[in-house]
Amino acid sequence: MPDSPTRRGSRLVNVTLLEGAVLASGSAAVAWATHFPCPLYVTTGCWCAFCGSTRAVQALLHGQPADAVRDNGLTVLIVAFAATRLLLWTMGCGRVVEMVDGLIARVDMRIWTALLLVWTVVRNLPAFTALGPAA
C-alpha cells in the first residue's frame, strides 16, 4: 500500500527536525568547546539567523525564557514547535502531528529560506537591534 502524501510529509518533517537537531547540537558543542564565534558575525559584523541560539537554548534549559527570547526568538519558536510536536506524538495524537507535518511539507523550501533571510536582515536593522543577541 503506497504512503499517503500526509505520511510522506510527516516523514519529511521528522527527518528535517532530526537533521536540524544534529546540526544545531554539533554546532553548539563546537562553539561551546572552542569559543569559536559565528563566521558571518566575524567577517561582516552582522548576526545570522541563528546567532545567539546556543545562549537561547542554554537559557531555556535554565528556566529563563525571557533571556532565551532576547538571545534568539526564532530558536525559541523552533524549540517550542518541536516540543509541542513531540508532546502531541507522545500523547497519541499522531493524526494531528501528521496533519501539521503535511501542511509544513507543502510549503516550498524557497519560502522557508526567504523567511530566514528576512529574519536575518530585520534583526540587523538599526531599528530592530533588540532582536539581536545580548552582548
Side-chain angles (χ1 to χ4, degrees), residues 52-111:
S53 291
T54 304
R55 285 178 278 173
V57 170
Q58 183 179 15
L60 284 173
L61 290 173
H62 287 113
Q64 302 164 334
D67 291 344
V69 170
R70 185 191 67 227
D71 287 328
N72 193 326
L74 177 65
T75 299
V76 174
L77 288 175
I78 291 170
V79 168
F81 170 75
T84 303
R85 188 178 177 283
L86 179 63
L87 180 66
L88 286 171
W89 180 73
T90 306
M91 292 173 48
C93 300
R95 289 200 98 138
V96 174
V97 172
E98 285 183 3
M99 183 182 70
V100 172
D101 290 351
L103 292 173
I104 291 171
R106 286 188 189 108
V107 177
D108 193 322
M109 190 54 98
R110 291 173 289 199
I111 293 174

